[in-house]
């Protein structure tokens, strides 16, 4: 099972991804984690990526694609994988398509969790209010303003990716506003299992 989950912060991608990992015995591959590990290990890739990551910019497509290409042929990926944080751009998606083809592989699905952004913001506002009312600490980036910014950033970067995968016929859409278990059912239906 080879999958990509698309969806903005707060859409429930993390929850669904961990359920899919458990259900299908596949691995979740985060390019952010892989790059951070390379930086820590001081590999050639890590040395190239460090300054760019420190500046909060995107690492070059060649580097990220190389990291993914090496990782997906490792033994623990035999049953498949969910890509996390990759592809982030259309050129990366195109490169992924041809890299998979060259290995005789293809994606089973690209699943987009569609959400109502205003409802997500309201949900986050009430969560913050509840935490504060209970005397809890709220993280610095856990506020409606920065959340809206992340949503906008995601929309700008990701809309072209859903268009790309709609074009390849791999895109499936799920209503991410449904209850969590219902979203899982919809995903299972798409995957036919
Ligand atoms: P993340 O943990 O997904 O937020 O990624 C952390 C950092 O790793 C990002 O800010 C980028 O510098 C780099 N990175 C992760 N994934 C990618 C990607 N697909 N393309 C380019 N840079 C990436």
């Amino acid at each position: 099972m080879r999958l990509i989950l698309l969806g903005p912060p707060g859409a429930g991608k993390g929850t669904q991804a961990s359920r899919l990992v458990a259900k299908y015995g596949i691995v979740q591959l985060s390019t952010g984690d892989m790059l951070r590990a390379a930086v820590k290990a001081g590999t050639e890739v890590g040395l190239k990526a460090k300054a760019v990551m420190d500046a909060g910019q995107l690492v070059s497509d060649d580097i990220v694609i190389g990291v993914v290409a090496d990782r997906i042929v490792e033994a623990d990926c035999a049953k498949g994988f969910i890509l996390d944080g990759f592809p982030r751009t259309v050129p990366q998606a195109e490169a992924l398509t041809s890299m998979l083809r060259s290995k005789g592989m293809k994606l089973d699905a690209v699943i987009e969790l569609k959400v109502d952004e205003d409802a997500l913001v309201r949900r986050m506002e009430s969560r913050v209010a509840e935490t504060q009312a209970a005397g809890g600490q709220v993280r610095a980036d856990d506020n409606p303003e920065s959340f809206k910014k992340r949503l906008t950033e995601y929309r700008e970067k990701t809309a072209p990716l859903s268009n790309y995968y709609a074009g390849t016929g791999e895109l499936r859409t799920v209503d991410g506003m449904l209850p969590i278990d219902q979203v899982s059912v919809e995903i299972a239906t798409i995957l036919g299992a």
Side-chain angles (χ1 to χ4, degrees), residues 31-32 35-36 53 57-59 64 85-86 88 92:
T31 42
L35 291 166
R36 278 185 289 274
M53 290 176 74
Q57 285 161 352
L58 287 185
V59 173
V64 185
F86 177 90
R88 264 191 170 68
Q92 287 183 7

Side-chain angles (χ1 to χ4, degrees), residues 169-182:
E170 291 161 294
L171 186 72
R172 301 287 177 273
T173 305
V174 171
D175 179 358
M177 300 312 289
L178 292 170
I180 293 175
D181 286 346
Q182 190 58 37

Side-chain angles (χ1 to χ4, degrees), residues 57-128:
Q57 285 161 352
L58 287 185
V59 173
S60 79
D61 289 350
D62 284 353
I63 291 182
V64 185
I65 292 156
V67 165
V68 174
D70 290 345
R71 184 66 185 84
I72 62 173
V73 292
E74 284 182 25
D76 62 344
C77 295
K79 288 188 181 169
F81 48 78
I82 298 182
L83 293 173
D84 176 358
F86 177 90
R88 264 191 170 68
T89 61
V90 171
Q92 287 183 7
E94 288 168 345
L96 176 65
T97 303
S98 55
M99 183 232 292
L100 290 175
R101 194 180 301 132
S102 74
K103 294 181 193 297
M105 298 176 179
K106 68 191 275 301
L107 295 170
D108 291 273
V110 177
I111 298 173
E112 180 172 19
L113 300 182
K114 278 260 187 212
V115 292
D116 172 345
E117 295 189 8
D118 292 338
L120 278 190
V121 172
R122 283 198 299 275
R123 202 190 270 177
M124 121 94 64
E125 280 166 345
S126 57
R127 223 177 17 228
V128 168

